[in-house]
Amino acid sequence: MNVRQAIHDYIYGAKEEMLADLRTLVEIPSVMGEAEENAPFGKYPAKALAAALDICKREGFSVRNFDNYVGTANFFPDKAEHLGILCHLDVVPEGSGWSVPPFALTEKDGKLLGRGTIDDKGPAIAALYAMKAVKALGLPIDKNIRLILGTNEENGSADLEYYRKKEALPPLLFTPDGSYPLINIEKGMLRMRLERHISDNRLISIKAGLAVNAVPENAEAVVSGITEEAVKNAACALSLPVKFTFTEEKGCLTIIANGRSAHASTPETGKNALTATLALLAALGIKDIEAFAKLFPYGETDGLSCGIKCSDEISGAVTTVLSVAELKDGVLTCRQDIRFPVCESCEGIINKLERAASACGITLSADMKSEPHNVPAESSFVKTLLEVYEDVTGEKGYPVAIGGGTYVHDTENGVAFGAEFPGEDNHMHGADEFIRTESLLLNAEIYANAIVKLCGKE
């Protein structure tokens, strides 16, 4: 039997059934809600999990529900876990701007549109049908595969934390919650809170940013005792690529900065309205603002001025963004996102940042700490998955390091394997999220071949 051809034929023959099952999941708006009895993340994530486990049970797999945090489906329930495929069924809110209903599966121009189609309900269906193909074709495997279905990846992965208190993760683990060819390194992450008393009464207020993990697009500051002409002259002298506008009322001048947002893992692609505003206020001589402007000069994203710049060959350089700010009761509080390479640690970065911050009279604390994740590229697991990717797609396989995080970030041995293909923009988390029909089928093919390679009889 030509195994690869048999898998291809089976997957394509099951296309309509796959789409029907994906439709069932997409129609459930599994956004995190208020906790209820037997629904720790709200009723809809629990409903999506129940529907997915019903599909798994229908296909003859042994299923288990871990209190509506996580569900599992086992290929060989009487054998120890060998390979785990970790997916999630929760989704982000629909947002605005959709051209089709977000919680319905719409097939259009070779695309399957709907919230969760790429993140992560479509890949979950692809993984399930990979298991189904191996089973239906009677392919020679003798090691257990466990499909693990979570319900809280988008809001902190408390589902996985709960599950790991009940069950150990399989020794081999991948998630289709990233991109191909394969992600084996995820930078460490810190979210810091920085505070300093502002003694200059000319600064009435400052507010910027909505999310700590995004370059702030807008910032607003209100000052008194400073003329509009003086502010305009200072802004002109700085010549920053951020647009400043001004309104004056009752002796106060409101300064509005408009930049461009970007994800905190790629801050160099944005225009930071907050750091531009801090630079302008510092240029106007606002006391104590200079401390923040010194540590976070506009356009700098490598952490040089705040003392944390570093890099290594396998995971790249640190990136950082000052993303949120608010002045309240005379104290300016800012929040900072840091993504750092595997050569550093949370403690090392914090110590360096603390030295620089304390010299400027700024106190800091950590809101979140996450060490780097690294599965060696030379491991047989990584090499096997990349070989499968090359065999099925004909494209070159190579490991990738990213500044973001996937569902396996806090696991010991997990990698991200799919589901986005290089060069694709599937509007993940955005309006008209989609997966191409061909990509859905190709994902299932890749995962089925990976199962055979990793779990086959020796």
Side-chain angles (χ1 to χ4, degrees):
M1 176 193 292
N2 183 325
V3 171
R4 196 168 61 184
Q5 187 62 49
I7 289 172
H8 173 87
D9 293 344
Y10 183 89
I11 294 296
Y12 274 74
K15 171 187 168 183
E16 294 306 320
E17 192 178 352
M18 286 180 72
L19 298 192
D21 287 337
L22 179 55
R23 180 172 289 106
T24 296
L25 297 184
V26 171
E27 288 176 352
I28 301 171
S30 49
V31 177
M32 183 177 179
E34 292 294 324
E36 302 178 11
E37 186 176 359
N38 298 320
F41 308 114
K43 63 182 179 181
Y44 289 114
K47 185 177 179 181
L49 180 59
L53 291 179
D54 282 346
I55 295 170
C56 294
K57 190 174 181 179
R58 181 197 72 200
E59 299 304 332
F61 297 114
S62 174
V63 304
R64 183 178 174 188
N65 187 330
F66 289 79
D67 302 319
N68 280 324
Y69 283 80
V70 169
T72 59
N74 284 286
F75 199 99
F76 293 124
D78 57 337
K79 294 186 177 183
E81 286 73 42
H82 178 70
L83 172 65
I85 306 176
L86 177 63
C87 308
H88 66 89
L89 301 171
D90 60 308
V91 296
V92 298
E94 63 271 29
S96 59
W98 287 78
S99 66
V100 297
F103 295 113
L105 189 68
T106 301
E107 198 167 1
K108 181 180 178 182
D109 300 327
K111 300 176 181 178
L112 301 168
L113 294 94
R115 177 61 83 223
T117 49
I118 189 65
D119 183 32
D120 195 33
K121 293 175 177 179
I125 289 294
L128 171 60
Y129 272 76
M131 292 171 62
K132 180 180 176 181
V134 172
K135 182 179 181 180
L137 294 169
L139 299 179
I141 67 169
D142 61 358
K143 300 177 184 67
N144 189 30
I145 308 104
R146 172 171 282 195
L147 179 63
I148 305 171
L149 302 168
T151 58
N152 185 237
E153 188 274 342
E154 300 291 1
N155 290 278
S157 298
D159 54 346
L160 200 54
E161 182 180 354
Y162 182 87
Y163 174 75
R164 293 174 71 180
K165 293 177 181 177
K166 306 284 185 179
E167 295 274 322
L169 290 170
L172 304 180
L173 181 72
F174 73 76
T175 182
D177 188 41
S179 59
Y180 291 112
L182 179 144
I183 298 168
N184 69 316
I185 295 176
E186 300 174 17
K187 289 181 179 179
M189 190 183 306
L190 283 164
R191 290 180 181 170
M192 305 300 298
R193 190 176 296 267
L194 302 95
E195 295 183 333
R196 181 186 168 110
H197 178 72
I198 304 299
S199 60
D200 195 326
N201 293 328
R202 292 179 298 169
L203 181 61
I204 307 301
S205 70
I206 182 171
K207 191 173 182 63
L210 299 174
V212 68
N213 64 341
V215 174
E217 183 175 15
N218 303 304
E220 179 181 297
V222 179
V223 297
S224 65
I226 304 176
T227 66
E228 182 174 342
E229 182 181 7
V231 178
K232 285 183 176 178
N233 288 339
C236 185
L238 288 172
S239 189
L240 299 177
V242 166
K243 181 182 180 182
F244 289 107
T245 56
F246 314 96
T247 58
E248 193 168 4
E249 184 178 359
K250 297 180 180 179
C252 291
L253 182 70
T254 299
I255 304 167
I256 298 173
N258 297 110
R260 182 175 65 220
S261 186
H263 193 271
S265 62
T266 55
E268 69 281 357
T269 64
K271 296 180 180 179
N272 193 319
L274 171 56
T275 56
T277 300
L278 293 174
L280 177 57
L281 294 174
L284 292 168
I286 302 292
K287 293 178 182 178
D288 306 317
I289 288 295
E290 292 98 329
F292 288 95
K294 179 181 178 181
L295 294 184
F296 303 101
Y298 179 84
E300 184 180 286
T301 60
D302 63 1
L304 174 63
S305 297
C306 61
I308 62 172
K309 182 175 180 177
C310 61
S311 64
D312 60 38
E313 289 187 3
I314 62 172
S315 55
V318 72
T319 58
T320 186
V321 55
L322 196 70
S323 50
V324 179
E326 183 175 16
L327 179 63
K328 187 175 182 180
D329 298 327
V331 175
L332 177 59
T333 301
C334 295
R335 298 186 69 194
Q336 176 189 12
D337 184 290
I338 304 169
R339 313 293 171 107
F340 61 92
V342 300
C343 64
E344 261 294 2
S345 66
C346 289
E347 183 181 6
I349 292 289
I350 291 173
N351 287 341
K352 291 176 180 178
L353 181 62
E354 195 160 39
R355 285 195 292 271
S358 62
C360 294
I362 295 172
T363 60
L364 58 86
S365 58
D367 289 336
M368 190 198 80
K369 303 177 184 179
S370 180
E371 299 291 352
H373 177 76
N374 181 13
V375 177
E378 60 271 16
S379 72
S380 61
F381 181 44
V382 169
K383 287 182 176 179
T384 299
L385 290 176
L386 290 176
E387 286 171 5
V388 169
Y389 175 78
E390 291 186 348
D391 288 345
V392 177
T393 67
E395 301 292 334
K396 176 65 178 175
Y398 50 89
V400 175
I402 63 169
T406 74
Y407 208 9
V408 294
H409 186 92
D410 293 320
T411 68
E412 184 178 347
N413 59 347
V415 299
F417 191 47
E420 283 192 305
F421 288 93
E424 284 188 344
D425 177 7
N426 297 90
H427 300 177
M428 186 184 295
H429 290 193
D432 287 353
E433 175 185 344
F434 72 92
I435 188 170
R436 295 187 184 278
T437 306
E438 286 294 319
S439 295
L440 178 69
L441 301 175
L442 185 54
N443 268 285
E445 278 193 74
I446 291 170
Y447 299 148
N449 279 276
I451 288 170
V452 173
K453 282 270 192 180
L454 293 165
C455 301
K457 294 179 180 179
E458 296 178 354

